[in-house]
Amino acid sequence: MLKGLLGPSPPLHDPLADPAPNALAEVKTTTCYMCACRCGIRVHLRDGEVRYIDGNPAHPINRGVICAKGSAGIMKQKSRARLTQPLLRKPGSARGAGDFEPISWERTFEILTERLGRIRATDPKRFAMFTGRDQMQALTGLFARQFGTPNYAAHGGFCSVNMAAGMIYTIGGSFWEFGGPDLEHAKLFVMLGTAEDHHSNPLKIALSKFKRKGGRFISINPVRTGYSAIADEWIPIRPGTDGALLMALLHEVIAADLIDRDFLRRYTNAPQLVLLTADEREGLFAYDPEAGPPADGRRPHNKLVWDVPSQSVKRAYPEGIAEGCEPALEGHYVLPDGSRVAPSFQLLEERVAPCTPEWAEQITGIPSARIRKLARELGQTAMRHAFELPQPWTDAWGRRHETTTARPVAFHAMRGLAAHSNGFQTVRALAILMSVLGTIDRPGGFRHKAPYPRHIVPNYRAFSDPAMIRPNTPLSSAPLGFPASPEELAVYPDGSPVRIDHAFSWEHPLAAHGLMHNVITNATRGDPYRLDTLLIFMANMAWNSTMNTMAVREMLNRKGEDGEYAIPFLVVCDAFRSEMVAFADLVLPDTTYLERHDVMSMLDRPISEFDGPVDSVRVPVVPPTGQCKPFQEVLVELASRLKLPAFTHTGGARKFSSYTDFIVNFEPQPGIGFLMGWRGKDGDKHLRGEPNPQQWERYAENNCVFQYHLPASMHYMRNWNREYLDFAMDKGWRQKNDPVQLALYSDTLQHFRLAAQGKTRGRQPPEHLRERVAKYFDPLPFWYPPLEHEAIDTAAYPLAAVTQRPMAMYHSWDSQNAWLRQIHSSNWLHVHPDAARAAGVADGAWCWVESAWGRVRCRVRLSEAVEPGTVWTWNAIGKASGAWALAPGADESREGFLLNHLISEELRFGAGSISNADPVTGQAGWYDVRVRLRPAAPGEPAETFPQVRAHG
Ligand code: SF4
């Protein structure tokens, strides 16, 4: 039975009572933020109070559909866990005790301006700002860059950066906000490792139509929850082994020649010749010296192919794609200068040759016959059920195509693939499988969403030069980006990391989203230096957003020999009393999504559709509660007081009076702003145009969303679509209009490998990291066991443990929500009957779950909807006692538990340790942990372990 919220509960409202006679009923539109999906909603108000929330039928994302979370937003507004005023830790009170005094915003800004101003004037990198699932990274990143600190990142590094980076470095785009499955034209849909919120309502709507039309839906997942429950077929797989499955599928479709050879020749680097010489260009692409410098991630086009009819070498462009040329995909050749070469596809074939279904069966647990059948289904649907859409388009080299070929096999994948220490190469394997089937930006396959596709490698360099960290000076480039070579890493001359999270160092070179899960550990240790102030926004780092939770809570309180905290000043901004709040020195009370302005911008993470760009806003539908202030507003105010150049006129006067003023008037390029709709003085320009002072009003009048429909000739093949590439450059979405050839073979990765092997003259990794970089920066995909498996005795911990996100809760956001906690207030460990029998644990009983790093006690629920070697539970249901304004005896703390206690944030590495993360991107290895079970002893307390008090 659900135990109550703190204190007696007077009814929030009486739904049966007659409205007051003169009650003012209103309906306002805005954008949901009960998860990250960003559906359009209508908020129904009476006398200014929220009474009801439903989906907005006029919104392009959800078309009126709303989920349980979305409609429960009213209870978020009414939550007793709201923070309502700025709080300062009382002098003499211990961090973690939650002993605060309320202060004014003016005092808050004075404290922050004095402290941050001093840091900025001396050593800006000693200020770090890490944000959770915020949707305004264009602003938070700008603030950090202007401040002059490289120590900034958002949540992506512990979410799905492997998915983003693995796909973007291969096909120029990725799933969810940046692209997705075209279920309108697909006949077969294969989903791997996807939770409910990626991409929630829109995907559910599309799946419903797809299944009604007779589409076949296969879900590959260790657990049959959520989407898997409605799949036509569920294929259970062991966690962390998807890469092996994908390699075997590549093996099979190539062996059966169920691949799109014309597509590979014209639109990918499959035919381009790789040097097999044992020198400093080994494994890089051969090039024509007369056509300029050799190809690399920034200038990818100077390459060669072998023309079969003439048996001669030709430049990849324009000769290689001219009529009459037939570039070889297979074979070994010798260039006129004697260099041995092979098309990169030949090397891919050689790589997957030993990856038979029998090999994959041993790793994945999927029978080899099923792998063969799946490969056949994929290949035959792509090649034999292809059809032509009567949609003409012109390619980047000027050839007009009268139709667009559909390859009706669509995939979708997210964190289930990404959150492993082998996730980057796994995602590369998936993107390559999609490419050899010819499904990229084609009807029925994967489709991009503007502003994607990006260049491969994207033209966004991360800050890298430590000499450019200077007092009172903005960084020379943004803190986050996409490195294309070792020269773009953020390292000191000795190869050590510049950033507190070690992102973009040799430990995690392509850490495009940073490594939030290591910030507190590194900062406490002073590795590579001590911080002064750490600002955490919307991330529960003292609980479910961190690995090794109890140790991290101790680190937050740790003091040095001088009696000072190892992290001297902690600022926490949140709307609710999460477990993290008690550790703050200064608490900034944020608003809810119903109380503020927000933008979902093309500069950041828009809500674009396949047929064109879409951005949207939130507008306040109710006033802020208490003294809550939107974090956006706090940042603009702070930036103005600190006189950060982008926020200040010459002479020091502030440029922007508020966040809304900033959004309207800030232009990173002339005519390009945060919002693309209703630009121009009169609001008659779209996509590009001067600022419009009435822009917020126009959005508010138009369901808070702006959608631009591209002409049909720009709907497909956008990596190579001349009209689209020119248009995208004109609108500021791309810096170049050259085609984006798919990188089946990644010479970018090979550049890092050559450096690690000591074959190049440029930057090289420190000795202790050479072998690691050389191994994992393989230009072709490969499967290797998750790194945790090398660090522990897997026989002693025979089970994989993962979490799933329920459809009624988004991370930890909703345990303070009176409606949603009626659906989930406690959690069980779901165990296959065979595994339970082997461990001697019974259905409904208490058991211990032990990893090499920690242990929890929880209740067991037997289930056949799980791969037998896997146990799982819902994510972030367990709470510290008293957190989130829950009563101390609430279900969440007595019967809920966190798997995080079992996961280490670091693994042993050489004589020291290294992040428990993907060695390429730094993606947190959440799903790599191995565990064993044993029954709780008779007489043990019937409650979860550990029991943790939120305060004191
Ligand atoms: S899917 Fe997410 S954004 Fe959409 S209504 Fe549900 S909670 Fe809101």
PDB file of all heavy atoms in Angstrom, residues 50-73:
ATOM      1  N   VAL A  50      -4.190  25.767 -12.430  1.00  0.00           N
ATOM      2  CA  VAL A  50      -4.211  24.645 -13.378  1.00  0.00           C
ATOM      3  C   VAL A  50      -5.230  23.608 -12.912  1.00  0.00           C
ATOM      4  O   VAL A  50      -5.198  23.146 -11.777  1.00  0.00           O
ATOM      5  CB  VAL A  50      -2.819  23.970 -13.471  1.00  0.00           C
ATOM      6  CG1 VAL A  50      -2.844  22.833 -14.482  1.00  0.00           C
ATOM      7  CG2 VAL A  50      -1.749  24.989 -13.834  1.00  0.00           C
ATOM      8  N   ARG A  51      -6.175  23.250 -13.807  1.00  0.00           N
ATOM      9  CA  ARG A  51      -7.174  22.235 -13.464  1.00  0.00           C
ATOM     10  C   ARG A  51      -7.007  20.964 -14.270  1.00  0.00           C
ATOM     11  O   ARG A  51      -7.458  19.904 -13.870  1.00  0.00           O
ATOM     12  CB  ARG A  51      -8.599  22.777 -13.714  1.00  0.00           C
ATOM     13  CG  ARG A  51      -8.895  24.083 -13.022  1.00  0.00           C
ATOM     14  CD  ARG A  51      -8.649  23.984 -11.516  1.00  0.00           C
ATOM     15  NE  ARG A  51      -9.521  23.044 -10.877  1.00  0.00           N
ATOM     16  CZ  ARG A  51     -10.445  23.366  -9.985  1.00  0.00           C
ATOM     17  NH1 ARG A  51     -10.606  24.618  -9.639  1.00  0.00           N
ATOM     18  NH2 ARG A  51     -11.198  22.435  -9.441  1.00  0.00           N
ATOM     19  N   TYR A  52      -6.363  21.088 -15.439  1.00  0.00           N
ATOM     20  CA  TYR A  52      -6.361  19.937 -16.339  1.00  0.00           C
ATOM     21  C   TYR A  52      -5.351  20.198 -17.440  1.00  0.00           C
ATOM     22  O   TYR A  52      -5.165  21.345 -17.861  1.00  0.00           O
ATOM     23  CB  TYR A  52      -7.777  19.814 -16.931  1.00  0.00           C
ATOM     24  CG  TYR A  52      -7.996  18.705 -17.911  1.00  0.00           C
ATOM     25  CD1 TYR A  52      -7.837  17.383 -17.525  1.00  0.00           C
ATOM     26  CD2 TYR A  52      -8.381  18.971 -19.224  1.00  0.00           C
ATOM     27  CE1 TYR A  52      -8.044  16.359 -18.434  1.00  0.00           C
ATOM     28  CE2 TYR A  52      -8.597  17.956 -20.137  1.00  0.00           C
ATOM     29  CZ  TYR A  52      -8.422  16.648 -19.729  1.00  0.00           C
ATOM     30  OH  TYR A  52      -8.627  15.626 -20.612  1.00  0.00           O
ATOM     31  N   ILE A  53      -4.669  19.151 -17.863  1.00  0.00           N
ATOM     32  CA  ILE A  53      -3.713  19.282 -18.976  1.00  0.00           C
ATOM     33  C   ILE A  53      -4.040  18.201 -20.001  1.00  0.00           C
ATOM     34  O   ILE A  53      -4.205  17.035 -19.648  1.00  0.00           O
ATOM     35  CB  ILE A  53      -2.255  19.109 -18.485  1.00  0.00           C
ATOM     36  CG1 ILE A  53      -1.893  20.208 -17.473  1.00  0.00           C
ATOM     37  CG2 ILE A  53      -1.282  19.142 -19.662  1.00  0.00           C
ATOM     38  CD1 ILE A  53      -0.524  20.017 -16.821  1.00  0.00           C
ATOM     39  N   ASP A  54      -4.153  18.599 -21.252  1.00  0.00           N
ATOM     40  CA  ASP A  54      -4.312  17.584 -22.298  1.00  0.00           C
ATOM     41  C   ASP A  54      -3.384  17.882 -23.465  1.00  0.00           C
ATOM     42  O   ASP A  54      -2.737  18.927 -23.511  1.00  0.00           O
ATOM     43  CB  ASP A  54      -5.779  17.424 -22.738  1.00  0.00           C
ATOM     44  CG  ASP A  54      -6.361  18.660 -23.381  1.00  0.00           C
ATOM     45  OD1 ASP A  54      -5.654  19.681 -23.453  1.00  0.00           O
ATOM     46  OD2 ASP A  54      -7.522  18.605 -23.806  1.00  0.00           O
ATOM     47  N   GLY A  55      -3.306  16.955 -24.389  1.00  0.00           N
ATOM     48  CA  GLY A  55      -2.435  17.117 -25.549  1.00  0.00           C
ATOM     49  C   GLY A  55      -3.015  18.135 -26.520  1.00  0.00           C
ATOM     50  O   GLY A  55      -4.232  18.252 -26.659  1.00  0.00           O
ATOM     51  N   ASN A  56      -2.137  18.834 -27.211  1.00  0.00           N
ATOM     52  CA  ASN A  56      -2.583  19.851 -28.164  1.00  0.00           C
ATOM     53  C   ASN A  56      -2.742  19.215 -29.544  1.00  0.00           C
ATOM     54  O   ASN A  56      -1.750  18.832 -30.172  1.00  0.00           O
ATOM     55  CB  ASN A  56      -1.547  20.987 -28.206  1.00  0.00           C
ATOM     56  CG  ASN A  56      -1.994  22.119 -29.111  1.00  0.00           C
ATOM     57  OD1 ASN A  56      -2.976  21.993 -29.847  1.00  0.00           O
ATOM     58  ND2 ASN A  56      -1.277  23.224 -29.053  1.00  0.00           N
ATOM     59  N   PRO A  57      -3.988  19.102 -30.040  1.00  0.00           N
ATOM     60  CA  PRO A  57      -4.194  18.445 -31.343  1.00  0.00           C
ATOM     61  C   PRO A  57      -3.504  19.169 -32.481  1.00  0.00           C
ATOM     62  O   PRO A  57      -3.236  18.587 -33.525  1.00  0.00           O
ATOM     63  CB  PRO A  57      -5.718  18.481 -31.529  1.00  0.00           C
ATOM     64  CG  PRO A  57      -6.291  18.826 -30.191  1.00  0.00           C
ATOM     65  CD  PRO A  57      -5.234  19.580 -29.439  1.00  0.00           C
ATOM     66  N   ALA A  58      -3.216  20.465 -32.295  1.00  0.00           N
ATOM     67  CA  ALA A  58      -2.608  21.238 -33.386  1.00  0.00           C
ATOM     68  C   ALA A  58      -1.084  21.170 -33.360  1.00  0.00           C
ATOM     69  O   ALA A  58      -0.429  21.855 -34.135  1.00  0.00           O
ATOM     70  CB  ALA A  58      -3.054  22.702 -33.280  1.00  0.00           C
ATOM     71  N   HIS A  59      -0.525  20.353 -32.477  1.00  0.00           N
ATOM     72  CA  HIS A  59       0.932  20.319 -32.371  1.00  0.00           C
ATOM     73  C   HIS A  59       1.510  19.201 -33.230  1.00  0.00           C
ATOM     74  O   HIS A  59       1.017  18.061 -33.181  1.00  0.00           O
ATOM     75  CB  HIS A  59       1.341  20.113 -30.902  1.00  0.00           C
ATOM     76  CG  HIS A  59       2.765  20.492 -30.627  1.00  0.00           C
ATOM     77  ND1 HIS A  59       3.810  19.656 -30.903  1.00  0.00           N
ATOM     78  CD2 HIS A  59       3.316  21.627 -30.115  1.00  0.00           C
ATOM     79  CE1 HIS A  59       4.950  20.258 -30.555  1.00  0.00           C
ATOM     80  NE2 HIS A  59       4.676  21.465 -30.079  1.00  0.00           N
ATOM     81  N   PRO A  60       2.559  19.514 -34.024  1.00  0.00           N
ATOM     82  CA  PRO A  60       3.042  18.500 -34.974  1.00  0.00           C
ATOM     83  C   PRO A  60       3.709  17.285 -34.318  1.00  0.00           C
ATOM     84  O   PRO A  60       3.795  16.228 -34.943  1.00  0.00           O
ATOM     85  CB  PRO A  60       4.078  19.266 -35.817  1.00  0.00           C
ATOM     86  CG  PRO A  60       4.481  20.441 -34.990  1.00  0.00           C
ATOM     87  CD  PRO A  60       3.285  20.788 -34.153  1.00  0.00           C
ATOM     88  N   ILE A  61       4.186  17.405 -33.099  1.00  0.00           N
ATOM     89  CA  ILE A  61       4.900  16.292 -32.475  1.00  0.00           C
ATOM     90  C   ILE A  61       3.943  15.212 -31.987  1.00  0.00           C
ATOM     91  O   ILE A  61       4.123  14.027 -32.265  1.00  0.00           O
ATOM     92  CB  ILE A  61       5.756  16.803 -31.282  1.00  0.00           C
ATOM     93  CG1 ILE A  61       6.896  17.664 -31.808  1.00  0.00           C
ATOM     94  CG2 ILE A  61       6.295  15.654 -30.429  1.00  0.00           C
ATOM     95  CD1 ILE A  61       7.940  16.914 -32.595  1.00  0.00           C
ATOM     96  N   ASN A  62       2.933  15.611 -31.229  1.00  0.00           N
ATOM     97  CA  ASN A  62       2.075  14.592 -30.587  1.00  0.00           C
ATOM     98  C   ASN A  62       0.633  14.606 -31.087  1.00  0.00           C
ATOM     99  O   ASN A  62      -0.135  13.718 -30.749  1.00  0.00           O
ATOM    100  CB  ASN A  62       2.088  14.776 -29.069  1.00  0.00           C
ATOM    101  CG  ASN A  62       1.672  16.157 -28.629  1.00  0.00           C
ATOM    102  OD1 ASN A  62       2.085  17.164 -29.203  1.00  0.00           O
ATOM    103  ND2 ASN A  62       0.849  16.234 -27.608  1.00  0.00           N
ATOM    104  N   ARG A  63       0.243  15.595 -31.850  1.00  0.00           N
ATOM    105  CA  ARG A  63      -1.097  15.664 -32.465  1.00  0.00           C
ATOM    106  C   ARG A  63      -2.210  15.343 -31.462  1.00  0.00           C
ATOM    107  O   ARG A  63      -3.107  14.552 -31.728  1.00  0.00           O
ATOM    108  CB  ARG A  63      -1.184  14.727 -33.666  1.00  0.00           C
ATOM    109  CG  ARG A  63      -0.147  15.059 -34.708  1.00  0.00           C
ATOM    110  CD  ARG A  63      -0.164  14.170 -35.914  1.00  0.00           C
ATOM    111  NE  ARG A  63       1.081  14.349 -36.651  1.00  0.00           N
ATOM    112  CZ  ARG A  63       1.366  15.394 -37.425  1.00  0.00           C
ATOM    113  NH1 ARG A  63       0.483  16.341 -37.598  1.00  0.00           N
ATOM    114  NH2 ARG A  63       2.526  15.487 -38.027  1.00  0.00           N
ATOM    115  N   GLY A  64      -2.091  15.891 -30.287  1.00  0.00           N
ATOM    116  CA  GLY A  64      -3.154  15.743 -29.293  1.00  0.00           C
ATOM    117  C   GLY A  64      -2.939  14.599 -28.328  1.00  0.00           C
ATOM    118  O   GLY A  64      -3.601  14.511 -27.294  1.00  0.00           O
ATOM    119  N   VAL A  65      -2.023  13.717 -28.628  1.00  0.00           N
ATOM    120  CA  VAL A  65      -1.784  12.570 -27.733  1.00  0.00           C
ATOM    121  C   VAL A  65      -1.047  13.053 -26.483  1.00  0.00           C
ATOM    122  O   VAL A  65      -0.172  13.911 -26.563  1.00  0.00           O
ATOM    123  CB  VAL A  65      -0.950  11.494 -28.462  1.00  0.00           C
ATOM    124  CG1 VAL A  65      -0.540  10.384 -27.505  1.00  0.00           C
ATOM    125  CG2 VAL A  65      -1.739  10.929 -29.635  1.00  0.00           C
ATOM    126  N   ILE A  66      -1.424  12.510 -25.345  1.00  0.00           N
ATOM    127  CA  ILE A  66      -0.710  12.826 -24.111  1.00  0.00           C
ATOM    128  C   ILE A  66      -0.517  11.527 -23.330  1.00  0.00           C
ATOM    129  O   ILE A  66      -1.310  10.593 -23.468  1.00  0.00           O
ATOM    130  CB  ILE A  66      -1.459  13.882 -23.273  1.00  0.00           C
ATOM    131  CG1 ILE A  66      -0.541  14.435 -22.173  1.00  0.00           C
ATOM    132  CG2 ILE A  66      -2.752  13.321 -22.691  1.00  0.00           C
ATOM    133  CD1 ILE A  66      -0.935  15.797 -21.684  1.00  0.00           C
ATOM    134  N   CYS A  67       0.542  11.477 -22.539  1.00  0.00           N
ATOM    135  CA  CYS A  67       0.787  10.268 -21.771  1.00  0.00           C
ATOM    136  C   CYS A  67       0.471  10.523 -20.299  1.00  0.00           C
ATOM    137  O   CYS A  67       0.136  11.638 -19.904  1.00  0.00           O
ATOM    138  CB  CYS A  67       2.231   9.816 -21.948  1.00  0.00           C
ATOM    139  SG  CYS A  67       3.407  10.813 -21.029  1.00  0.00           S
ATOM    140  N   ALA A  68       0.629   9.475 -19.498  1.00  0.00           N
ATOM    141  CA  ALA A  68       0.304   9.602 -18.067  1.00  0.00           C
ATOM    142  C   ALA A  68       1.134  10.689 -17.410  1.00  0.00           C
ATOM    143  O   ALA A  68       0.628  11.471 -16.599  1.00  0.00           O
ATOM    144  CB  ALA A  68       0.555   8.254 -17.374  1.00  0.00           C
ATOM    145  N   LYS A  69       2.399  10.761 -17.773  1.00  0.00           N
ATOM    146  CA  LYS A  69       3.266  11.783 -17.173  1.00  0.00           C
ATOM    147  C   LYS A  69       2.767  13.177 -17.550  1.00  0.00           C
ATOM    148  O   LYS A  69       2.662  14.071 -16.708  1.00  0.00           O
ATOM    149  CB  LYS A  69       4.711  11.625 -17.654  1.00  0.00           C
ATOM    150  CG  LYS A  69       5.359  10.303 -17.339  1.00  0.00           C
ATOM    151  CD  LYS A  69       6.816  10.284 -17.742  1.00  0.00           C
ATOM    152  CE  LYS A  69       7.052  10.405 -19.227  1.00  0.00           C
ATOM    153  NZ  LYS A  69       6.853   9.198 -20.008  1.00  0.00           N
ATOM    154  N   GLY A  70       2.493  13.350 -18.835  1.00  0.00           N
ATOM    155  CA  GLY A  70       2.102  14.678 -19.309  1.00  0.00           C
ATOM    156  C   GLY A  70       0.870  15.208 -18.613  1.00  0.00           C
ATOM    157  O   GLY A  70       0.814  16.372 -18.189  1.00  0.00           O
ATOM    158  N   SER A  71      -0.126  14.337 -18.452  1.00  0.00           N
ATOM    159  CA  SER A  71      -1.359  14.823 -17.824  1.00  0.00           C
ATOM    160  C   SER A  71      -1.199  15.007 -16.322  1.00  0.00           C
ATOM    161  O   SER A  71      -1.985  15.710 -15.692  1.00  0.00           O
ATOM    162  CB  SER A  71      -2.517  13.866 -18.135  1.00  0.00           C
ATOM    163  OG  SER A  71      -2.143  12.557 -17.810  1.00  0.00           O
ATOM    164  N   ALA A  72      -0.151  14.397 -15.746  1.00  0.00           N
ATOM    165  CA  ALA A  72       0.079  14.545 -14.308  1.00  0.00           C
ATOM    166  C   ALA A  72       0.919  15.782 -13.980  1.00  0.00           C
ATOM    167  O   ALA A  72       1.333  15.956 -12.836  1.00  0.00           O
ATOM    168  CB  ALA A  72       0.769  13.286 -13.762  1.00  0.00           C
ATOM    169  N   GLY A  73       1.154  16.626 -14.964  1.00  0.00           N
ATOM    170  CA  GLY A  73       1.928  17.842 -14.704  1.00  0.00           C
ATOM    171  C   GLY A  73       1.313  18.721 -13.636  1.00  0.00           C
ATOM    172  O   GLY A  73       2.003  19.443 -12.911  1.00  0.00           O
TER     173      GLY A  73
END
